[in-house]
Amino acid sequence: MDGQLNQAQGESSALLRLRAALPQLGPSEGRVVQAILENLTSIAETSTAELARLAKCSPATVIRACQNVGFRGYQHLRIELAKEPLEQSPTDRHVLEEVFREASEAIEVSQQLLSQEAFDRAVDALIDADRILISASGFSLPPTQDTVIRLIALGLTVLSPADVFTQQFAARQMGKGDVVLAVTYSGANTHTLRTAASAKHDGAKVIALTSFAQSPITKAADISLVTGPVGRSNDIDPHLSRVSHSLVLHSLYRGVLKKRRGAFNRFSEMGEVIADALSDDLDT
């Protein structure tokens, strides 16, 4: 955890550092950071003891949480937050500005959190896999569909049934030399967890793409790619996390493409398929 938190420091704003650290912290320290983020307008006047009451923890936990995020203590964090302009209320901004600003911040937080070492291992696992099963459902499913097409175009054998029970049936056919790429926002989707567990039981490797480091899927996975929870917690559709997940999935494809030199020849074949699907008849 310390390595990822240190990576999230540097030129990042105090707010971004707090948001990037949140999914890496334990329950008590996570409540401290969450309380700070939920009370930004009053945090300058909030004492250590008052914040501890809000977070339902001890003052010592408040200080420790601030230090683990990369500040010298709570007072240092308050000073850094005071240097930053208060965020506008969403109602004060045009919806286009609001959404694009949130997306930009989500991408930056995810980039800081992601481990390049874990990403490189995931790319190698996909390249070496005999078969790849992509498991996702609900809001996590759409970002995977583009990846399926791209990996197949590179010559990889990819299974991606949309039905969750079919995913579990397919997982029981996976074994040593195969890979399951499990995509789940919460990391606690029951169907995805069952698919990953079934495949791993028979020797398959599991790559998890999720927003939460402390989640069941990361405990079951051989390789975890964590983007962090972003956006409003009350959104039924975690669309900003889907943006980050889409970028990671595309990066995995690009990583495979970069290492599979022979795959470049596949693009001419893919281009022919696309060209054949387009009609020159304007009346059609």
Side-chain angles (χ1 to χ4, degrees):
M1 181 179 72
D2 292 340
Q4 287 185 320
L5 295 187
N6 289 336
Q7 182 183 357
Q9 294 173 22
E11 298 180 358
S12 298
S13 71
L15 275 176
L16 284 178
R17 287 160 65 180
L18 287 168
R19 288 171 176 149
L22 186 56
Q24 307 296 319
L25 298 171
S28 298
E29 294 179 10
R31 289 198 303 271
V32 172
V33 172
Q34 190 63 49
I36 293 171
L37 293 174
E38 292 175 355
N39 297 275
L40 289 174
T41 57
S42 60
I43 206 67
E45 290 80 33
T46 302
S47 68
T48 304
E50 290 169 337
L51 180 58
R53 283 195 293 272
L54 287 174
K56 299 179 180 179
C57 66
S58 68
T61 301
V62 170
I63 297 172
R64 186 170 62 250
C66 295
Q67 291 173 339
N68 282 337
V69 174
F71 300 95
R72 290 190 295 274
Y74 178 51
Q75 300 306 322
H76 180 212
L77 183 149
R78 291 203 303 179
I79 292 171
E80 292 301 312
L81 284 177
K83 296 178 182 177
E84 300 182 12
L86 288 177
E87 291 184 324
Q88 289 177 291
S89 168
T91 57
D92 296 334
R93 298 195 299 265
H94 190 278
V95 65
L96 276 173
E97 180 185 355
E98 177 186 350
V99 170
F100 275 79
R101 178 176 176 175
E102 289 175 349
S104 177
E105 182 178 286
I107 291 170
E108 186 169 353
V109 169
S110 296
Q111 185 179 15
Q112 292 173 349
L113 274 177
L114 285 161
S115 163
Q116 292 184 1
E117 184 271 335
F119 175 85
D120 290 341
R121 288 197 292 124
V123 169
D124 289 338
L126 292 175
I127 291 174
D128 295 336
D130 295 327
R131 294 176 300 172
I132 300 168
L133 171 63
I134 297 183
S135 176
S137 64
F139 290 121
S140 295
L141 182 62
T144 67
Q145 301 309 295
D146 175 76
T147 305
V148 172
I149 297 172
R150 293 180 182 277
L151 292 180
I152 289 176
L154 294 182
L156 301 182
T157 301
V158 183
L159 307 175
S160 182
D163 178 72
V164 292
F165 295 110
T166 308
Q167 291 176 23
Q168 293 176 43
F169 295 152
R172 292 178 181 271
Q173 309 304 317
M174 307 293 279
K176 189 173 182 179
D178 297 325
V179 168
V180 171
L181 175 55
V183 182
T184 162
Y185 165 72
S186 65
N189 182 286
T190 301
H191 297 296
T192 304
L193 286 170
R194 286 174 179 167
T195 298
S198 294
K200 187 168 184 178
H201 179 268
D202 293 325
K205 184 173 290 186
V206 175
I207 302 171
L209 173 55
T210 183
S211 296
F212 295 87
Q214 305 297 327
S215 61
I217 194 64
T218 59
K219 296 176 183 177
D222 299 287
I223 304 170
S224 296
L225 304 174
V226 180
T227 62
V230 291
R232 297 193 187 94
S233 59
N234 62 342
D235 277 351
I236 187 172
D237 175 6
H239 66 100
L240 293 177
S241 287
R242 287 168 60 190
V243 171
S244 296
H245 288 186
S246 294
L247 287 174
V248 174
L249 289 168
H250 188 71
S251 296
L252 287 171
Y253 154 74
R254 289 281 293 273
V256 172
L257 174 62
K258 188 174 181 180
K259 290 192 174 185
R260 278 179 66 99
R261 302 299 180 184
F264 284 100
N265 297 328
R266 297 275 179 177
F267 279 105
S268 60
E269 300 174 18
M270 187 166 64
E272 291 173 8
V273 173
I274 295 174
D276 289 343
L278 300 175
S279 174
D280 292 327
D281 187 350
L282 297 179
D283 295 328
T284 300

